[in-house]
């Protein structure tokens, strides 16, 4: 089927030289790449960077929201202050909790958005909403939209790379970064950088497979696929399969180098928390393990970005399981959020500072998100229930004006302070596309008779977040 991207009122039916449908941006871009950090399971805004003195004052008192509250489970116990201490950081004086203290070194580069709202307290649908802009499966991930619109900066590496949690996928799995109705070539390529074989099926492992036989196999597949394609013109799935084989052949040379961190200087490895190779970890969730695995993904993300990968998605937390290995801290927030937060903050702070010292932060946007927040009331005394009514995203780099906190939540961290003007995921997505030079209303794709877009029929650019 022909592409039906409606850009500037015209139908664009061919990719540009880089593989994207945009021959040129809609307006001058401030960024060219994105790194999305996704905390699967719902990270608590009020325990990381949305400090609430009111909870300190009323800790242990019966929670009274002044209205009916629809809780996901039984999380309407007494008010609960954060188990973590908060301190001021940076010239902006931002309050951060101790478990994200490493980010204090770069907090002046970060723009926090504290009034983000969701539409559901269910992990799977909320994750879809943040990852794809829709609550239902079948829609392209944000990285797929960026890949579709802008294409690749390096023909030897994927345009969109996904680095999952080392323990497994989050809710929805690969559907979070699928291509949906876009050309299949725009979907995310999964990489597990901590594994011996980071990319499944890229390199032949059998001893009887030689470089010559591998190339002969590829050549045969190419001839057969091209013959098949000639008889079925317009099938994007077939074209994507052919392109994936061609990309895989190029990646056999480029990917191992991009993923090899062994030649990084010792001070860089230490900055990312990778200075204890071969370490072993206890069965319980622990900071050292979280620091190493998240830090490795952040370092690999930097290496991919500097080699021209357009969009990198990093996940922290896998799907539900016990003991907890995600941010869904119903039972014990301090036990779970402590290690996960320190691991995330160590790797993320290193990533920001590393990009900055290399001059890459100027044109790379970092987006931190999660599917929803957590309630200011307690669950089981030391846990927190789901809170889709307000939570935090933050952005950094790529022309974003750092050192600010935009859109406050109320004194409890329960809902936006201004309930009439919350921030929605569509606004976050629109702002990121804008920084990439894309008008979010003009990047569309006709599917089932509808001109679909990442922001659906919503969204506006959050201008106070942007420099200049």
């Amino acid at each position: 089927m022909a592409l039906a991207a409606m850009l500037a009122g015209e139908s664009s039916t061919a990719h540009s030289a880089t593989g994207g449908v945009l021959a040129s941006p809609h307006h001058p871009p401030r960024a060219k790449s994105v790194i999305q950090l996704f905390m699967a399971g719902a990270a608590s805004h009020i325990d990381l960077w949305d400090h609430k003195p009111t909870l300190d004052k009323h800790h242990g008192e019966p929670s009274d929201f002044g209205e009916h509250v629809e809780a996901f489970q039984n999380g309407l116990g007494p008010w609960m202050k954060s188990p973590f201490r908060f301190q001021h950081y940076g010239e902006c004086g931002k309050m951060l909790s101790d478990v994200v203290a490493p980010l204090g070194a770069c907090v002046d580069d970060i723009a926090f958005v504290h009034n983000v709202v969701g539409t559901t307290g269910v992990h799977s649908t909320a994750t879809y909403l943040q990852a794809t802009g829709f609550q239902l499966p079948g829609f392209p991930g944000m990285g797929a939209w960026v890949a579709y619109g802008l294409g690749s900066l390096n023909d030897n590496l994927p345009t969109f790379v996904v680095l999952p949690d080392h323990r497994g996928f989050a809710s929805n799995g690969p559907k979070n970064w699928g291509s949906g109705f876009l050309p299949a070539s725009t979907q995310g390529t999964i990489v597990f950088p901590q594994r011996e074989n980071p990319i499944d099926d890229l390199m032949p492992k059998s001893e009887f497979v030689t470089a010559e036989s591998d190339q002969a196999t590829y050549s045969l597949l190419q001839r057969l696929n091209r013959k098949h394609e000639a008889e079925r013109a317009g099938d994007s799935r077939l074209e994507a399969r052919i392109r994936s084989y061609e990309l895989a052949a190029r990646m056999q040379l480029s990917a191992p180098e991009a993923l090899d961190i062994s030649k990084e200087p010792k001070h860089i490895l230490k900055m990312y928390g990778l200075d204890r190779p071969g370490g072993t970890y206890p069965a319980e969730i622990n900071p050292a393990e979280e620091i190493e695995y998240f830090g490795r993904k952040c370092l690999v993300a930097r290496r991919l970005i500097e080699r021209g990968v357009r969009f990198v998605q990093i996940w922290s937390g896998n799907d539900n399981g016990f003991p907890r290995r995600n941010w869904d801290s119903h039972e014990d927030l301090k036990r779970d959020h402590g290690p996960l937060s320190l691991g995330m903050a160590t790797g993320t702070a290193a990533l920001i500072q590393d990009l900055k010292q290399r001059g890459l932060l100027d044109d790379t946007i970092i987006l931190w998100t999660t599917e929803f927040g957590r309630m200011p009331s307690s669950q089981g005394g030391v846990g927190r229930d789901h809170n889709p009514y307000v939570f935090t995203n933050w952005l950094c780099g790529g022309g974003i004006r750092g050192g600010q906190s935009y859109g406050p939540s109320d004194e409890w961290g329960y809902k936006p302070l201004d309930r009439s003007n919350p921030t929605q995921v569509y606004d976050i997505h629109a702002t990121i596309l804008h920084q990439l030079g894309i008008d979010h209303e003009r990047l569309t794709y006709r599917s089932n008779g509808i001109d679909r877009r990442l922001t659906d029929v919503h969204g506006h650019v959050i201008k106070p977040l942007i420099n200049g």
Side-chain angles (χ1 to χ4, degrees), residues 89-94 106-112 395-396 400-406 465 467:
Y89 291 90
E91 293 183 7
C92 64
K94 178 64 178 176
C106 39
V107 72
D108 290 325
D109 294 310
I110 297 174
F112 294 90
L395 299 93
C396 175
I400 297 297
R401 183 167 63 86
Q404 63 168 315
S405 293
Y406 171 86
L465 299 186
N467 276 322

Side-chain angles (χ1 to χ4, degrees), residues 188-211:
T189 297
I190 301 170
V191 176
F192 284 94
Q194 74 285 350
R195 295 181 180 177
E196 180 183 357
N197 186 25
I199 305 174
D200 286 342
D201 304 321
L202 180 62
M203 305 294 290
K205 291 295 182 180
S206 302
E207 294 181 359
F208 61 83
V209 177
T210 65

Side-chain angles (χ1 to χ4, degrees), residues 39 48-49 100 103 294 327 340-349 368:
M39 308 301 114
L48 301 183
W49 30 58
V100 293
L103 282 167
F294 197 83
W327 297 79
L340 286 166
S341 299
L342 190 58
M344 175 275 296
T346 300
T348 302
W368 186 98

